[in-house]
Amino acid sequence: MVITAIIKPLRAIVILAFTLWFATGATAASLAEAPTLRPGTVIDRNNVDKFAEALNPAMTYAIAHGLSVKVVPTERVEWPTPYQQATEKYSSQVSLDENDSLKNYIAGLPFPSIGPADPKAPIKIAYNWRWGPFIPEQVSFSNVAARTFNFQRDDLSFVRDSVNPDFRNEQTCDRNIVLRQAHRLDAGSRADGAGESQLQWEGRGDQCGPEQGKFIALLYPEAHRQPDSYVYLQATRKWRRLAIATVPNQSCSYTCAQIYMEYTPPETRLYSWKLVGMRTVLGCLNAGAAFEESRSAMRFGQISCEPRSAYVLEMIPVAAGSDVLKARVYLDSETYVYLGGEIFRDQKPDLSSAFWMKDKSASGRNRMVLAADLYVPDDRAGTFLWLDMRGRQTFDNQVAEELFNPKAQQ
């Protein structure tokens, strides 16, 4: 198809144009050039300072505490074919209205070509992240409660914190389901002709916190409409409606900053966006196991990561006094997956990094699957949270709509 031959190289041209623009523009001073990341190079605690510009801060932290990263050649990641076709079919009609909301978006990447001088580039990149080619239409998680580790005296080995694993009392849910209703590519979409639906996302958590409660969240497309959130406590045996935002916030920093940013990016309208620049960073898109375990303790091992071109975006909450968290995120410019970020609960940020693996769906579509994530809280020295996600996710199971209806759960 002719349009395919145009769009694919166009993505590479746009990325190159962005890189050249920031290399010669006013932002160049703030984003120094990283040293050459040659395949075969191993980055460890002995040379991590040399490669700091090529690492997100959480990766730097892990390497300083024993992780080693082998640089492998950069590989092109093909989008799922239906997503590519939807991009070719619909992207030319997509625009922003006077409030920077999406107009005429149905499916695929909203903005496959963003000019480097476009003043709306930051928010367009944010929309591409939210509706990117590897955001799953549904995903279920099991056995994902927070796992906290404490370093021992050598600052290299660590043990599981079995006494206080949920030290912020975030009530992390052990089982989660996320279902996207809008802008889907399959026949199960409830979208109308404008690409919207009565709901954008539905989420459910079970076995939440020590009380083993439950949680339901319903997110809507209307800019003025708050999510409907419900919580079920075993003590009362009733569902209660809550007024909370299902985005990274003060009461949900680890879970929301990780799984939400990785699989359900935050609602674009809640933030003002600033494009800090583009950087070549190590992105772990086919990472291996990062733990080495012995009888007494565990240590980080070696993983393989590749040089990736990444957007660096700042997310600043629009509402003054909101408990929504400010963040700086690193987004892969080809796949739009989340590579890592800095999450500001106060003046100093928590740090996070995502490790991915390539996979195929039951229908044969290309897929990026979360392999593991690392989260480093600022307010507890010598502690980090790590979750090996391999074997904890399913994407193709049929999800019952009743699971998102609190009235049906009475």
Side-chain angles (χ1 to χ4, degrees):
M1 185 181 294
V2 174
I3 193 167
T4 303
I6 294 173
I7 284 184
K8 289 187 177 181
L10 182 60
R11 298 209 306 261
I13 292 171
V14 170
I15 291 170
L16 175 61
F18 260 118
T19 304
L20 291 175
W21 179 47
F22 282 111
T24 58
T27 58
S30 62
L31 295 174
E33 282 296 315
T36 302
L37 296 167
R38 294 186 176 87
T41 300
V42 176
I43 304 174
D44 57 26
R45 64 193 311 232
N46 297 313
N47 62 359
V48 64
D49 292 341
K50 177 181 176 182
F51 294 94
E53 287 296 327
L55 303 167
N56 68 59
M59 285 282 285
T60 300
Y61 176 92
I63 293 171
H65 287 84
L67 179 70
S68 66
V69 179
K70 183 178 181 179
V71 180
V72 297
T74 302
E75 293 185 0
R76 181 176 179 79
V77 182
E78 293 292 335
W79 293 354
T81 299
Y83 189 91
Q84 177 73 40
Q85 292 172 342
T87 301
E88 296 164 5
K89 183 176 181 180
Y90 299 118
S91 63
S92 62
Q93 71 189 38
V94 182
S95 62
L96 299 173
D97 65 15
E98 63 277 7
N99 298 314
D100 286 340
S101 296
L102 281 177
K103 286 180 60 177
N104 302 319
Y105 172 59
I106 295 179
L109 197 72
F111 302 104
S113 60
I114 305 172
D118 186 347
K120 298 294 185 180
I123 195 166
K124 288 181 178 179
I125 294 168
Y127 277 119
N128 284 354
W129 175 28
R130 184 164 173 80
W131 304 110
F134 296 102
I135 298 300
E137 295 181 344
Q138 68 178 57
V139 59
S140 301
F141 307 99
S142 61
N143 194 23
V144 293
R147 284 161 173 79
T148 304
F149 298 87
N150 298 322
F151 282 107
Q152 297 188 309
R153 290 184 179 181
D154 63 2
D155 227 19
L156 293 174
S157 56
F158 44 85
V159 294
R160 189 186 300 274
D161 188 339
S162 58
V163 177
N164 196 19
D166 188 16
F167 61 90
R168 283 184 179 161
N169 196 31
E170 293 175 352
Q171 308 294 308
T172 307
C173 302
D174 201 39
R175 293 182 176 273
N176 296 269
I177 301 173
V178 178
L179 180 64
R180 173 153 58 93
Q181 293 289 9
H183 311 302
R184 292 171 61 105
L185 298 170
D186 62 16
S189 173
R190 300 199 325 205
D192 60 24
E196 294 288 8
S197 70
Q198 294 179 349
L199 289 167
Q200 279 196 338
W201 304 84
E202 295 175 293
R204 180 183 173 111
D206 288 280
Q207 300 176 18
C208 304
E211 293 83 10
Q212 296 292 282
K214 304 174 185 179
F215 179 76
I216 291 174
L218 309 175
L219 281 69
Y220 302 94
E222 295 86 2
H224 64 276
R225 188 169 182 179
Q226 292 295 316
D228 286 331
S229 300
Y230 304 86
V231 65
Y232 179 92
L233 299 177
Q234 297 289 350
T236 61
R237 297 186 180 276
K238 291 183 179 181
W239 286 93
R240 296 179 57 191
R241 188 171 180 174
L242 301 176
I244 60 174
T246 54
V247 294
N249 57 57
Q250 290 288 357
S251 62
C252 185
S253 56
Y254 168 66
T255 306
C256 294
Q258 289 297 94
I259 289 179
Y260 272 84
M261 285 191 172
E262 291 152 351
Y263 280 139
T264 56
E267 175 62 56
T268 312
R269 63 184 171 82
L270 296 179
Y271 300 88
S272 61
W273 300 85
K274 178 182 178 182
L275 179 58
V276 179
M278 292 193 75
R279 287 170 63 169
T280 298
V281 300
L282 280 179
C284 304
L285 301 191
N286 212 7
F291 272 19
E292 295 178 352
E293 189 166 358
S294 66
R295 291 183 179 179
S296 59
M298 290 169 280
R299 297 171 69 98
F300 286 118
Q302 184 178 95
I303 58 175
S304 298
C305 304
E306 60 191 75
R308 304 293 303 183
S309 174
Y311 297 115
V312 184
L313 277 184
E314 284 190 356
M315 306 163 48
I316 303 170
V318 172
S322 168
D323 73 343
V324 175
L325 301 179
K326 174 185 174 183
R328 174 181 288 201
V329 296
Y330 301 78
L331 309 175
D332 184 71
S333 62
E334 180 184 24
T335 64
Y336 284 93
V337 298
Y338 174 83
L339 299 178
E342 301 160 59
I343 317 300
F344 290 85
R345 299 178 69 251
D346 45 39
Q347 293 299 314
K348 293 183 178 180
D350 292 353
L351 311 177
S352 73
S353 192
F355 303 83
W356 298 89
M357 56 187 178
K358 298 171 184 175
D359 192 19
K360 287 189 178 294
S361 68
S363 62
R365 298 181 188 178
N366 295 331
R367 185 162 61 193
M368 296 298 300
V369 178
L370 186 64
D373 64 41
L374 166 70
Y375 194 87
V376 184
D378 170 65
D379 54 349
R380 187 171 172 182
T383 291
F384 68 93
L385 295 91
W386 174 273
L387 185 59
D388 185 340
M389 291 295 294
R390 294 172 301 173
R392 304 184 195 276
Q393 307 162 77
T394 57
F395 297 86
D396 303 309
N397 294 345
Q398 190 68 29
V399 177
E401 189 64 33
E402 290 77 13
L403 289 175
F404 306 100
N405 182 0
K407 293 182 179 180
Q409 303 296 311
Q410 297 292 351

